[in-house]
Amino acid sequence: MRTIQYNNKAPEVAVLCDLLAQLGYDLIVSDSFTLAVDVVVRDFQYKNNLVVDGIVGVKTWSKLYELSSFGTHNNKLLSEKDLLDFATVYNLDLACVKAVNEVESSGKGFLVSGKPKILFEGHIFWKELIKRGIDPSLYLNTSTADVLYPIWTKKYYLGGDAEYSRLEKAVQMNANPIFKEAAYCAASWGCFQIMGFNAVPMGYSSVANFVEKMYLSEKEHLFAFGLFLKANHLIPYLQNKDWVGFASRYNGLGYKANKYDEKLANAYQKYS
């Protein structure tokens, strides 16, 4: 991990927030080193007999990893060989695979808690319930408004393990197993943030089977990514470095507002 401090914006900041949150600090997990993060870092440094300067360098990183459980999950992580083998199988530049991996999940598929990284989408949950013959408006109230809504919004995103709280709230909305199935379909999973509703079209026996695989390793996430590319005929876009074509199909209509095509192009140049 590189040295980071106040005002930095980088994937390492999200890892820092994850580690601090695991240690009990109340933080919003993001890639922005805000004043709130700086305050927490200084508190952590003070309590662990480190120089209190707000700079997260080798000593602070080392102490964070020592106190967290992150090290126990290293066997779940992707290796360079995994990525190279994947690139060979699909006739892709290794830099393409690394670019998508970085942009979709900041280069990591697991939280420091050991759970696969997810993002719960309440508007997809709404649609998945309708698909199953359930009127979602019957379950809409002040206590469910953050996990069930008809139109996309990011205002309820919490990040990190807090997304599992949102997922569990959706699951517990009704004892009918259809709600659990719909909730799993409404979350994006792992390194490549593949939505659960893609599981069966990709070849998994069920969304539950897909989720079970996502808990195993980032290599399983990479395998799912390959299935997704094939099922949606996206391989030629990566082969041709058509970032606009790929982003519009992989990320949907919001790709331009979020600059996914630009982020992919920049990441590709970095890894080339």
Side-chain angles (χ1 to χ4, degrees), residues 115 118 120-122 125 129 139-149 156 158 161-176 178-184 186-187:
K115 296 176 182 178
I118 68 167
F120 186 78
E121 302 283 9
F125 186 42
L129 289 176
Y139 296 86
L140 183 59
N141 54 58
T142 54
S143 67
T144 63
D146 60 334
V147 297
L148 184 64
Y149 37 86
Y156 298 117
L158 298 174
D161 284 291
E163 289 298 318
Y164 277 90
S165 297
R166 298 179 65 223
L167 174 64
E168 187 60 25
K169 180 186 283 191
V171 170
Q172 296 297 327
M173 202 172 290
N174 190 296
N176 188 329
I178 285 178
F179 277 73
K180 182 176 183 179
E181 180 183 79
Y184 280 4

Side-chain angles (χ1 to χ4, degrees), residues 211-257:
V211 170
E212 181 182 351
K213 297 293 186 183
M214 293 302 97
Y215 270 83
L216 296 180
S217 68
E218 288 183 349
K219 190 171 183 178
E220 286 288 346
H221 301 178
L222 186 62
F223 178 74
F225 179 54
L227 294 179
F228 183 86
L229 292 179
K230 287 195 294 184
N232 292 279
H233 313 291
L234 294 178
I235 295 172
Y237 295 97
L238 287 180
Q239 290 173 331
N240 296 323
K241 320 300 185 298
D242 181 357
W243 304 118
V244 171
F246 178 78
S248 64
R249 291 162 178 80
Y250 196 88
N251 301 105
L253 297 177
Y255 84 93
K256 186 170 291 186

Side-chain angles (χ1 to χ4, degrees), residues 119-125 147 149 152-153 157 166 186-187 195:
L119 186 63
F120 186 78
E121 302 283 9
H123 70 297
I124 300 296
F125 186 42
V147 297
Y149 37 86
W152 176 84
T153 177
Y157 291 170
R166 298 179 65 223
M195 293 297 302

Side-chain angles (χ1 to χ4, degrees), residues 26 31 84 87 112 138 156 170 175 178 204 208 220 237 239 245 257:
D26 184 14
D31 61 358
L84 185 57
V112 292
L138 298 177
Y156 298 117
I178 285 178
Y204 291 91
E220 286 288 346
Y237 295 97
Q239 290 173 331

Side-chain angles (χ1 to χ4, degrees), residues 43-247:
D43 182 74
F44 173 82
Q45 290 173 328
Y46 175 76
K47 289 178 177 176
N48 288 280
N49 297 315
L50 298 168
V51 175
V52 182
D53 56 10
I55 300 172
V56 183
V58 173
K59 292 181 180 179
T60 301
W61 279 123
S62 297
K63 195 64 180 179
L64 282 165
Y65 282 118
E66 176 189 333
L67 296 176
S68 74
S69 60
F70 184 81
T72 63
H73 308 309
N74 280 343
N75 61 333
K76 294 183 176 183
L77 307 182
L78 275 174
S79 69
E80 184 77 4
K81 185 178 184 302
D82 292 333
L83 295 173
L84 185 57
D85 289 346
F86 182 90
T88 301
V89 168
Y90 290 101
N91 193 26
L92 296 169
D93 284 355
L94 178 59
C96 282
V97 182
K98 288 185 175 181
V100 180
N101 184 41
E102 176 181 305
V103 171
E104 286 303 312
S105 62
S106 301
K108 61 172 184 168
F110 283 88
L111 303 170
V112 292
S113 63
K115 296 176 182 178
K117 184 176 182 180
I118 68 167
L119 186 63
F120 186 78
E121 302 283 9
H123 70 297
I124 300 296
F125 186 42
W126 184 284
K127 292 177 181 178
E128 290 296 320
L129 289 176
I130 290 176
K131 285 182 187 177
R132 290 161 176 79
I134 295 171
D135 182 359
S137 65
L138 298 177
Y139 296 86
L140 183 59
N141 54 58
T142 54
S143 67
T144 63
D146 60 334
V147 297
L148 184 64
Y149 37 86
I151 301 173
W152 176 84
T153 177
K154 64 179 181 180
K155 71 177 181 178
Y156 298 117
Y157 291 170
L158 298 174
D161 284 291
E163 289 298 318
Y164 277 90
S165 297
R166 298 179 65 223
L167 174 64
E168 187 60 25
K169 180 186 283 191
V171 170
Q172 296 297 327
M173 202 172 290
N174 190 296
N176 188 329
I178 285 178
F179 277 73
K180 182 176 183 179
E181 180 183 79
Y184 280 4
C185 285
S188 56
W189 297 84
C191 286
F192 300 93
Q193 289 296 279
I194 297 172
M195 293 297 302
F197 63 72
N198 292 294
V200 173
M202 285 162 52
Y204 291 91
S205 59
S206 65
V207 68
N209 174 239
F210 168 72
V211 170
E212 181 182 351
K213 297 293 186 183
M214 293 302 97
Y215 270 83
L216 296 180
S217 68
E218 288 183 349
K219 190 171 183 178
E220 286 288 346
H221 301 178
L222 186 62
F223 178 74
F225 179 54
L227 294 179
F228 183 86
L229 292 179
K230 287 195 294 184
N232 292 279
H233 313 291
L234 294 178
I235 295 172
Y237 295 97
L238 287 180
Q239 290 173 331
N240 296 323
K241 320 300 185 298
D242 181 357
W243 304 118
V244 171
F246 178 78

